[in-house]
Amino acid sequence: MLDFAARGGALGAAPTARPRPAGRHAARRAHAAEEEPPGRPRLAVLIPAHNEQDRVAAAIEGLWRQSRRPDLIVVVADNCTDDTARIAVAHGAQVFHTQGNTHKKAGALNQAIAWVLPHLDDRDLLLVQDADTVLNPWFAETALATFNRKVGAVGGVFYGEEGGGLLGLLQRMEFHRYAWELERTGGKAQVLTGTGTMFRARVLREVRAARRAGVIGGGNGYYSLASLTEDDEMTKAVKTLGYRAMSPAGCAVTTEVMPTLGKLWHQRLRWQRGALENLRDYGWTRVTARYFLQQFLMGFGALSFLVYLTFMTTSIALYGPPGLSPVWTSIGLIFVVEKVVSVRRAGPLPMLVALLMIPEMLYDLFQHAVYFSSLWGLLRRSEEKWVAT
């Protein structure tokens, strides 16, 4: 197995990776190296982390359990003030310390990628994974099998971890529906999720070259420093260069759910505002046309839902409950059945909540509020600040 830390010693004053510790993790890596077929593409992993001492160990252990083990795991410690780095080393990872980064996750990744990419061949692979995420054991193997000349990146299919009460359950139901939709569309990724995405090294080099040539915006690095949602922007960058982005069912990941409405609000506001700003910056292209349509339909659906609720509330207040209509009752039943069936893989409790309808209607209203708040902020050109969640 390549020791990138040793090969990177000539980087001088650049941030350095700590030496790998001895023990069972080092022995496990050595065993994986002995089994490595000659000529196989190497796989390096970057885990950007800011004060993730409670979660980074599980993320690293999930990588060591992969059926296709990584050749290198690097935790990108970005301005950490806790034990993230120490825990990462104890679990067999190397640590890369950022220097002077003020651009959050994108800036940290740009520094780390610039450090590790010179040691990768074009056909080698780089996996970027969030520190609060655990990959299923077949993620790397499935992603590797998905690559071909047309596929430039393979993203994960994310599911929510347990906990969080009713709010956590609603998020897990939302994620299950997204996974179901991905499966129905043949695994074509809408977004290369930050929870786990694997890139060809060649594609990352092409992205940076395209930024520097002005073909795509976002600065002169790998990830855009101008975007609130660097993962969404990277998806558009990869597709603009003519590559496909995939999210096969076998690339499942389990990630954190937001435990409070406040944290969920800030997370979704950043996602939605970032998606709108990315579309504004890219403009109407062959790649973005579909995303523009999705945003329009999202807004139309949210507005229609609000009009319907207003009409029904006013009608009931003035005239009392309406009588049952066979046509509208049938349409409503179809809607409910679709809601229930789409979460059947999540278990009986999500199916029951979907059948009740009211909790998800309130959750939808929350999502609609996020959408309109993001759109209003974009129109006013107000600055959306990154809030840690």
Side-chain angles (χ1 to χ4, degrees):
M1 183 180 71
L2 286 179
D3 187 346
F4 292 136
R7 293 182 61 178
L11 294 176
T16 57
R18 297 182 180 179
R20 293 171 300 174
R24 63 187 182 94
H25 296 291
R28 181 164 51 183
R29 278 194 304 271
H31 177 67
E34 291 172 2
E35 296 178 347
E36 181 177 323
R40 184 176 70 166
R42 294 166 295 177
L43 172 60
V45 182
L46 297 180
I47 306 176
H50 173 69
N51 291 343
E52 294 283 1
Q53 64 178 14
D54 296 331
R55 292 182 172 271
V56 71
I60 296 169
E61 287 302 315
L63 288 165
W64 289 131
R65 288 194 297 268
Q66 292 292 302
S67 57
R68 195 307 193 184
R69 290 175 178 172
D71 300 296
L72 176 71
I73 300 176
V74 179
V75 171
V76 183
D78 183 37
N79 301 316
C80 292
T81 57
D82 64 357
D83 285 336
T84 295
R86 181 186 63 78
I87 293 172
V89 170
H91 286 268
Q94 297 184 39
V95 176
F96 176 93
H97 295 275
T98 62
Q99 289 188 342
N101 177 43
T102 59
H103 294 283
K104 306 301 180 183
K105 178 181 173 181
L109 282 172
N110 280 347
Q111 288 189 21
I113 293 173
W115 171 71
V116 74
L117 202 61
H119 308 295
L120 296 177
D121 297 330
D122 277 351
R123 71 192 189 100
D124 290 335
L125 300 148
L126 187 64
L127 171 62
V128 177
Q129 176 197 330
D130 284 346
D132 61 1
T133 299
V134 177
L135 309 185
N136 81 19
W138 306 278
F139 184 102
E141 183 179 353
T142 302
L144 280 163
T146 304
F147 276 103
N148 56 42
R149 289 186 177 182
K150 295 182 178 180
V151 175
V154 178
V157 181
F158 48 88
Y159 296 88
E161 66 182 12
E162 293 300 318
L166 178 60
L167 185 61
L169 175 62
L170 291 170
Q171 292 171 74
R172 288 192 292 275
M173 293 168 65
E174 178 188 7
F175 295 164
H176 267 275
R177 287 200 179 95
Y178 177 70
W180 187 53
E181 183 63 27
L182 280 175
E183 188 174 339
R184 292 172 61 191
T185 58
K188 295 179 181 178
Q190 298 182 32
V191 176
L192 291 169
T193 171
T195 56
T197 292
M198 189 182 293
F199 299 92
R200 284 284 188 199
R202 178 186 70 251
V203 173
L204 288 172
R205 292 188 174 104
E206 290 180 14
V207 167
R208 185 182 62 169
R211 294 196 196 281
R212 293 184 171 183
V215 176
I216 53 179
N220 58 5
Y222 300 95
Y223 278 87
S224 170
L225 300 181
S227 176
L228 281 170
T229 49
E230 66 285 334
D231 308 320
D232 176 80
E233 193 281 334
M234 178 61 86
T235 308
K236 293 176 175 59
V238 169
K239 290 185 176 182
T240 297
L241 295 181
Y243 291 103
R244 292 178 183 171
M246 303 296 292
S247 291
C251 288
V253 307
T254 303
T255 191
E256 183 182 18
V257 296
M258 296 296 103
T260 66
L261 279 174
K263 288 190 174 185
L264 183 62
W265 174 267
H266 287 299
Q267 181 197 60
R268 298 308 171 88
L269 196 64
R270 177 165 54 89
W271 289 1
Q272 182 59 48
R273 179 69 180 274
L276 291 172
E277 289 183 353
N278 290 337
L279 288 176
R280 177 199 63 193
D281 295 341
Y282 270 80
W284 183 277
T285 68
R286 176 183 56 83
V287 169
T288 62
R290 177 185 177 187
Y291 292 95
F292 273 107
L293 179 61
Q294 287 177 343
Q295 291 295 328
F296 171 78
L297 292 176
M298 188 184 303
F300 179 78
L303 188 60
S304 300
F305 187 55
L306 291 177
V307 170
Y308 169 76
L309 286 182
T310 302
F311 171 78
M312 290 300 297
T313 302
T314 304
S315 178
I316 291 173
L318 293 176
Y319 307 109
L324 291 177
S325 165
V327 174
W328 289 111
T329 300
S330 299
I331 293 175
L333 287 174
I334 293 173
F335 174 79
V336 172
V337 169
E338 189 275 335
K339 284 283 190 180
V340 173
V341 170
S342 60
V343 295
R344 68 190 186 281
R345 294 180 182 176
L349 182 57
M351 294 176 68
L352 176 61
V353 172
L355 186 63
L356 294 175
M357 292 185 61
I358 299 298
E360 286 204 283
M361 288 180 66
L362 295 175
Y363 188 70
D364 288 342
L365 283 173
F366 176 87
Q367 300 272 46
H368 297 163
V370 169
Y371 176 85
F372 288 123
S373 179
S374 300
L375 185 60
W376 177 241
L378 182 70
L379 294 175
R380 292 191 303 118
R381 295 184 179 275
S382 63
E383 182 181 0
E384 180 63 31
K385 294 183 179 180
W386 191 92
V387 178
T389 54

